[in-house]
């Protein structure tokens, strides 16, 4: 029952195609690379708990809102929001909600492509047997050596971006959809195997204790913000993707059911990744706060010693690259759709220009990890040390832009859009609608605002003034 609008870029063939693409966007490096290491840096259990609450109470409602905006607006994120604002006779300034998503996913992709490049390099290292019979220490050393060579990192990220540009620019999604069909389930199974292997060969009980026993003394306000931001990151929210994918969604598909399904799969993958990694971390005396290298220095230890390790390891990194790749496609799509709609650029030219500029910005990340002097420094942002450009881009997007973008989306859908329209678009039971509407009007805005006020110290000041 969406309005009469149609997307100029085409439509999904149905519910399943949308679920695959949206899950492909959601599941990626965020689940397997980022979640385990930020959990480790932020003390484990309490962080996980806050993250899970954020997924359920904020992530799912915001995802529904974004898909709704896209399906109603049928354009790239900024223009969709603008159209809906006009429909609600409100200020077109609300379109900022869409544009900030576009900028965020552009910035995220600049480092995402670099990390996907690491995974690609690791396909070859694993296949070559580099990790066979090597000590845990030597495996760590290999990763450091890998990072220390900026030329290789530049080349690997160029390969990732080139393939992304090729697929998106030529619109050859068909073959990719087929591949994803089979690769996503395989990734799931393989992660399951890794989890079982490391649970039975590693320090499983210590890992479970670390991941699932909340110790709130280890959680700082920055940790809470990062858990919130990561809930957005991992579900690809406030980054345009769910709006643009919603724009291609047929009108008869249930937005509520598909959103819950996507969030469930995404969370399951993250948890499996944690269980695959942490028993090894404790078994081999590595520290949870290892940082962005965590999976690259733990999983190869398992691949080096488990039966058929070379085979499993190679498959694992191949799938990780694919998972990253389906996310990269979604990240570049908003910018490309916008350049095509508004600037009238040819699709291939638009994509190539975007990819090329991303590679250049990605150099900030490459040289951050290569520890170039100009790319490393010391900053303190609300108590969190930030030491290089990668961390700047990551913090700016995940911790600041995504939660604030989500806030604006929640206010727009909950307070600006007419109730009748959101009801019509969600087409769900009265109870589900009521819960969603409450979450989006009250819970999300209040939670995000409180976290930010606390972060900048205003909340504590207020509480003190009130004598609490
Ligand atoms: N969700 C992706 C992951 O977990 C990362 C991501 C963030 C993303 N924003 C996005 C992917 C926008 C696609 C589009 O890896």
């Amino acid at each position: 029952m969406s309005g009469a609008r149609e997307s100029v870029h085409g439509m999904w063939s149905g519910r399943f195609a949308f679920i695959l693409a949206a899950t492909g966007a959601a599941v990626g490096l965020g689940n397997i690379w980022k979640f385990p290491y930020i959990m480790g840096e932020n003390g484990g259990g309490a962080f996980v708990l806050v993250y899970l609450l954020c997924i359920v109470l904020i992530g799912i409602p915001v995802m529904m809102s974004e898909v709704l905006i896209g399906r109603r607006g049928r354009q790239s994120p900024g223009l969709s929001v603008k159209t809906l604002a006009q429909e609600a006779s409100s200020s077109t300034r609300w379109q900022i909600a869409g544009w900030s998503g576009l900028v965020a996913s552009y910035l995220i992709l600049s480092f995402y492509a670099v990390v996907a490049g690491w995974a690609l390099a690791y396909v070859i290292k694993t296949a070559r047997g580099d990790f066979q019979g090597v000590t845990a220490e030597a495996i760590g050393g290999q990763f450091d050596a890998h990072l220390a060579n900026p030329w290789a990192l530049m080349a690997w990220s160029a390969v990732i971006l080139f393939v992304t540009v090729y697929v998106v620019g030529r619109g050859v999604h068909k073959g990719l959809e087929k591949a994803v069909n089979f690769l996503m389930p395989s990734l799931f199974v393989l992660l399951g195997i890794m989890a079982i292997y490391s649970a039975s060969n590693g320090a499983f009980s210590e890992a479970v204790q670390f991941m699932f026993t909340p110790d709130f003394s280890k959680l700082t306000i920055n940790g809470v913000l990062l858990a919130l931001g990561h809930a957005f990151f991992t579900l690809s929210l406030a980054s345009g993707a769910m709006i643009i994918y919603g724009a291609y969604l047929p009108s008869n598909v249930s937005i509520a059911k598909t959103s819950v399904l996507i969030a469930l799969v995404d969370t399951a993958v993250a948890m499996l990744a944690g269980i695959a990694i942490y028993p090894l971390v404790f078994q081999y005396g590595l520290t949870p706060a290892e940082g962005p290298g965590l999976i690259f220095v733990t999983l190869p230890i398992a691949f080096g010693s488990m039966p058929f390790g070379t085979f499993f390891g190679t498959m694992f990194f191949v799938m990780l690259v694919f998972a990253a790749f389906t996310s990269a496609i979604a990240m570049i799509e908003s910018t490309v759709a916008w350049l095509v709609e508004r600037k009238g650029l040819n699709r291939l030219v638009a994509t190539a220009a975007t990819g090329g500029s991303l590679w250049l910005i990605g150099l900030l990340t490459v040289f951050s990890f290569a520890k170039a002097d100009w790319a490393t420094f010391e900053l303190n942002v609300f108590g969190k040390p930030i030491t290089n450009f990668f961390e700047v881009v990551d913090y700016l997007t995940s911790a600041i832009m995504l939660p604030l973008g989500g806030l604006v989306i929640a206010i727009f859908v909950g307070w600006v859009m007419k109730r009748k329209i959101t009801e019509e678009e969600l087409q769900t039971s009265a109870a589900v609608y009521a819960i969603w509407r409450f979450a989006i009007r009250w819970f999300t805005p209040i939670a995000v605002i409180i976290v930010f006020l606390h972060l900048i110290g205003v909340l504590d000041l207020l509480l003190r003034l009130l004598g609490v």
Side-chain angles (χ1 to χ4, degrees):
M1 248 190 291
S2 311
R5 279 181 287 272
E6 265 188 45
S7 157
V8 296
H9 308 282
M11 271 297 179
W12 302 115
S13 49
R15 172 166 188 258
F16 193 63
F18 169 76
I19 292 180
L20 265 185
T23 315
V27 174
L29 296 172
N31 308 62
I32 299 170
W33 160 71
K34 194 170 181 193
F35 174 69
Y37 89 77
I38 60 174
M39 176 216 308
E41 285 178 339
N42 290 283
F47 178 87
V48 175
L49 185 65
V50 174
Y51 158 81
L52 289 175
L53 287 174
C54 289
I55 295 274
V56 175
L57 299 174
I58 299 176
I60 295 176
V62 170
M63 184 185 294
M64 289 168 62
S65 307
E66 292 199 28
V67 177
L68 179 165
I69 291 176
R71 188 161 80 179
R72 186 92 193 172
R74 295 276 187 223
Q75 295 156 77
S76 59
L79 299 181
S80 280
V81 179
K82 183 173 169 193
T83 307
L84 298 189
Q86 284 164 338
E87 197 171 81
S89 332
S90 188
S91 161
T92 53
R93 294 225 181 94
W94 287 106
Q95 60 180 302
I96 180 84
W99 297 112
S100 88
L102 188 148
V103 175
S105 56
Y106 181 83
L107 290 175
I108 290 171
L109 187 50
S110 79
F111 69 77
Y112 208 86
V114 174
V115 179
W118 301 352
L120 189 55
Y122 266 61
V123 170
I124 293 171
K125 279 170 145 320
T126 321
R128 246 183 358 210
D130 284 10
F131 307 122
Q132 291 302 320
V134 179
T135 63
E137 233 181 2
I139 285 175
Q142 290 196 20
F143 184 68
D144 293 338
H146 177 63
L147 292 189
N149 181 353
W151 305 107
L153 301 188
M154 282 156 79
W156 289 117
S157 71
V159 174
I160 297 282
L161 284 169
F162 183 83
V163 180
T164 308
V165 165
Y166 185 82
V167 169
V168 174
R170 299 237 122 176
V172 288
H173 288 215
K174 285 275 162 335
L176 191 82
E177 267 176 33
K178 289 218 182 71
V180 171
N181 237 330
F182 142 85
L183 282 161
M184 297 282 289
S186 320
L187 174 70
F188 208 81
V189 171
L190 202 66
L191 263 180
I193 295 177
M194 293 306 302
I196 293 171
Y197 175 83
S198 91
S200 44
N201 291 282
F204 184 56
S205 58
E206 239 176 297
V208 169
Q209 163 95 10
F210 179 73
M211 281 178 68
F212 298 112
T213 314
D215 174 355
F216 284 95
S217 67
K218 288 193 192 141
L219 193 67
T220 61
I221 179 62
N222 242 306
V224 174
L225 178 63
L226 292 180
L228 172 70
H230 189 66
F232 283 103
F233 184 92
T234 192
L235 295 177
S236 304
L237 300 179
S239 22
M242 290 300 161
I243 299 185
I244 196 77
Y245 276 11
Y248 310 151
L249 185 65
S251 325
N252 55 0
V253 176
S254 160
I255 292 180
K257 281 190 205 139
T258 38
S259 301
V260 170
L261 184 68
I262 295 164
L264 270 180
V265 174
D266 189 81
T267 308
V269 172
M271 292 299 141
L272 271 181
I275 294 176
I277 289 163
Y278 274 96
L280 300 172
V281 170
F282 293 113
Q283 178 82 11
Y284 290 95
L286 302 166
T287 78
E290 170 75 32
L294 188 66
I295 67 161
F296 294 92
V297 300
T298 48
L299 291 183
I301 299 177
F303 299 139
S305 53
M306 72 196 281
F308 309 108
T310 302
F311 172 74
F312 281 135
T314 311
M315 292 301 290
F316 175 83
F317 283 115
V318 166
M319 286 168 199
L320 186 59
V321 171
F322 261 89
F325 191 56
T326 50
S327 297
I329 287 176
M331 275 185 258
I332 211 171
E333 179 67 26
S334 313
T335 308
V336 171
W338 168 67
L339 289 172
V340 172
E341 277 166 15
R342 265 302 144 106
K343 305 283 163 203
L345 286 189
N346 161 302
R347 197 171 166 88
L348 191 56
V349 174
T351 323
T354 313
S357 63
L358 278 168
W359 183 78
L360 282 177
I361 302 179
L363 296 182
L364 292 176
T365 293
V366 166
F367 284 95
S368 294
F369 284 108
K371 300 204 170 71
D373 283 342
W374 61 268
T376 51
F377 36 76
E378 258 171 61
L379 291 177
N380 187 312
V381 183
F382 307 119
K384 183 183 160 61
I386 299 241
T387 58
N388 57 40
F389 280 118
F390 158 71
E391 291 175 5
V392 170
V393 179
D394 183 33
Y395 194 84
L396 176 69
T397 49
S398 288
I400 312 277
M401 292 181 77
L402 301 189
L404 290 182
L407 172 68
V408 179
I409 286 168
I411 294 175
F412 178 72
V413 174
W415 296 94
V416 177
M417 281 180 73
K418 299 264 182 323
R419 182 186 173 116
K420 188 174 132 292
I421 292 182
T422 52
E423 237 166 10
E424 191 177 298
E425 209 55 57
L426 287 181
Q427 297 171 48
T428 180
S429 70
V432 171
Y433 183 79
I435 297 172
W436 169 79
R437 191 163 161 90
F438 178 80
I440 215 69
R441 279 165 72 97
W442 299 102
F443 195 80
T444 303
I446 292 176
V448 174
I449 289 171
I450 287 184
V451 174
F452 273 98
L453 287 184
H454 193 15
L455 185 77
I456 58 181
V458 172
L459 193 64
D460 313 80
L461 196 72
L462 279 178
L463 289 178
R464 219 172 307 141
L465 286 178
L466 292 172
V468 185

